[in-house]
Amino acid sequence: MRRERIQRIGIHIILWLTYAIVMYNWVSSAWMDYVQSLWLTLRIIGVHALIFYINVYVLLPKLMEKNRYILYLLSIISLLIAIYFFREFIHHFFPIDPPERFQGLRDMPPPRPDHRPDKFVRTFRISPRVIMDNISSVAVLFISTTFWLTMQTRKRQEAEADIKNENLNTELKLLKSQINPHFLFNALNNIYSMSFTSQEKAPDMIMKLSDMLRYVLYESNENKVSLDKEIEYIHNFIDFQKLKIEGEANIDLNIKVTNTALPVEPMLFIPFIENSFKHSNLESDNGWLKITLISKEEQILFSISNSRPVQNYSKDKTSGIGLENVKKRLELLYPNKHELIIEEEADSFTVNLTIEV
């Protein structure tokens, strides 16, 4: 915050110095007296800076931002009048004579050496100089208002972006919180079944479940994990699922990854794999499952297909939660950087996913 403030002040100083240099060059080219040109430039820049910052940091935020338009308009008129008297005061006590070709801009004829104006009010005559001064004041007001509106628009956009990011993080946490209990529910069901059918394999299954839960509880809380950790979890998950299948399961796993350090969202592929195991009916002779994971530079290709039973099956209440979650995660985390194609046929279900990481 402090660094941004210093940068903002530095930008203001550079812009005012640039404006002063341009103004000095213009004034000196007309007046030809460098001392008077410098003094006149400082007067102009000082008055313009005063108008600019009063409008930007006092009138606009305290009146315009609070929809007090009439009071703001009256304040602007009052400011212009005050600036007019302030200029005339300086011009009276610190006059600067224009060159001969600008004699028409003078307030009055040149005073005689033995004459001095008796009344200060005599300087308050409307002249081309006064008109130009007021036009420049209005121009500075317009520029300062435009600057303030631009600054407010940027702040509003930054606030909206912060809110969007906060909502995104909240939604992602909610989606992950749905994934973890869903996995744990299925895992406990598998352990319960295995405790009756294959008691000698239960310790190995519990150890695998412990490794998987460690990944779910700790690794999945990270924004990104390396692809090798996700692959390790997939292997454990498949081994875990095989334990409840009698005989040799018809599972074809093909993983060709050249860069295992590629960052990927944790638990991104598991919902597809879990869904395929759930509905492929691998216990039957006709059940099959095929998984392919390939990496190409910064691209990940994931494909999974499984058999579908001929007979209709009834879906439980949690059916489809994993797939819906992963679809939302892909939309949130890889916008315009992923392609998800789901094909459903009478005897098969296929998912093809391409991700640009």
Side-chain angles (χ1 to χ4, degrees):
M1 184 66 67
R2 183 179 179 183
R3 183 178 180 181
E4 293 179 357
R5 185 178 180 182
I6 294 175
Q7 290 178 347
R8 184 168 60 251
I9 293 174
I11 292 173
H12 280 236
I13 292 175
I14 292 174
L15 291 176
W16 282 113
L17 286 176
T18 304
Y19 179 40
I21 293 172
V22 173
M23 179 63 66
Y24 175 79
N25 289 333
W26 180 80
V27 171
S28 62
S29 65
W31 263 252
M32 300 301 293
D33 186 325
Y34 297 110
V35 176
Q36 287 195 100
S37 297
L38 179 60
W39 172 234
L40 181 59
T41 300
L42 292 176
R43 281 165 50 172
I44 294 173
I45 297 299
V47 171
H48 286 179
L50 185 65
I51 296 173
F52 184 92
Y53 289 113
I54 289 177
N55 189 38
V56 170
Y57 293 107
V58 179
L59 300 182
L60 286 169
K62 293 184 179 299
L63 300 178
M64 180 65 76
E65 191 173 0
K66 298 179 181 179
N67 300 326
R68 303 170 70 178
Y69 304 117
I70 297 178
L71 187 56
Y72 173 74
L73 180 60
L74 294 176
S75 299
I76 287 296
I77 295 174
S78 301
L79 177 62
L80 291 175
I81 294 174
I83 291 297
Y84 167 75
F85 280 98
F86 179 68
R87 275 179 167 146
E88 292 302 319
F89 177 83
I90 295 178
H91 183 72
H92 175 75
F93 288 101
F94 305 97
I96 297 178
D97 292 329
E100 293 182 359
R101 61 179 179 273
F102 289 113
Q103 288 293 330
L105 298 180
R106 300 184 64 179
D107 293 335
M108 61 183 67
R112 297 189 304 272
D114 58 344
H115 174 74
R116 201 170 171 82
D118 297 330
K119 296 183 178 180
F120 177 65
V121 73
R122 291 188 60 187
T123 62
F124 299 153
R125 297 172 56 193
I126 296 179
S127 67
R129 179 189 61 79
V130 174
I131 295 175
M132 290 180 62
D133 287 345
N134 283 280
I135 290 176
S136 66
S137 296
V138 174
V140 173
L141 284 173
F142 176 78
I143 294 172
S144 61
T145 302
T146 304
F147 169 80
W148 181 80
L149 291 174
T150 303
M151 188 170 57
Q152 292 300 109
T153 301
R154 188 185 66 178
K155 288 182 179 180
R156 184 165 55 252
Q157 291 174 346
E158 291 176 353
E160 291 175 355
D162 291 339
I163 294 174
K164 184 177 180 180
N165 290 333
E166 184 177 351
N167 291 338
L168 175 63
N169 292 332
T170 301
E171 186 169 356
L172 286 177
K173 290 179 181 179
L174 177 61
L175 294 177
K176 286 183 178 180
S177 69
Q178 292 177 352
I179 291 173
N180 296 349
H182 184 49
F183 161 76
L184 184 59
F185 174 79
N186 290 335
L188 290 176
N189 276 342
N190 292 335
I191 292 177
Y192 179 77
S193 300
M194 189 59 61
S195 64
F196 291 101
T197 58
S198 302
Q199 294 182 3
E200 69 281 358
K201 295 181 179 180
D204 186 28
M205 184 178 181
I206 294 174
M207 183 61 66
K208 289 181 180 294
L209 178 60
S210 175
D211 293 337
M212 295 169 71
L213 287 177
R214 185 180 299 108
Y215 180 84
V216 172
L217 294 176
Y218 297 103
E219 301 292 345
S220 66
N221 288 327
E222 301 294 331
N223 293 329
K224 301 283 186 179
V225 296
S226 59
L227 185 57
D228 60 336
K229 292 183 178 180
E230 187 76 1
I231 292 174
E232 182 182 358
Y233 183 85
I234 291 174
H235 278 295
N236 289 337
F237 184 88
I238 293 174
D239 292 341
F240 184 84
Q241 295 295 331
K242 284 181 178 179
L243 291 176
K244 69 174 185 177
I245 300 174
E246 295 292 338
E248 188 68 23
N250 188 5
I251 300 175
D252 182 10
L253 179 62
N254 181 24
I255 296 180
K256 296 180 180 179
V257 176
T258 56
N259 184 7
T260 58
L262 283 176
V264 67
E265 294 297 319
M267 303 290 292
L268 190 61
F269 307 113
I270 289 300
F272 296 117
I273 299 175
E274 184 180 28
N275 185 72
S276 294
F277 268 102
K278 186 174 182 180
H279 301 302
S280 60
N281 195 20
L282 288 172
E283 292 81 1
S284 66
D285 295 335
N286 297 324
W288 56 271
L289 177 62
K290 183 177 181 180
I291 303 172
T292 303
L293 182 62
I294 302 174
S295 68
K296 295 181 178 180
E297 296 181 354
E298 295 184 354
Q299 186 181 67
I300 297 176
L301 306 176
F302 174 78
S303 176
I304 184 169
S305 57
N306 62 271
S307 60
R308 299 182 68 177
V310 178
Q311 296 181 351
N312 294 329
Y313 56 87
S314 59
K315 296 183 179 180
D316 56 36
K317 295 181 180 180
T318 61
S319 178
I321 290 180
L323 291 181
E324 290 301 319
N325 279 347
V326 76
K327 287 179 182 178
K328 291 181 179 180
R329 291 182 69 195
L330 287 170
E331 292 172 359
L332 291 170
L333 299 169
Y334 298 99
N336 302 320
K337 291 185 177 181
H338 78 281
E339 182 181 16
L340 177 63
I341 300 175
I342 299 178
E343 299 176 354
E344 293 189 55
E345 298 182 2
D347 58 348
S348 65
F349 182 88
T350 303
V351 173
N352 291 302
L353 174 63
T354 304
I355 299 176
E356 301 290 341
V357 297

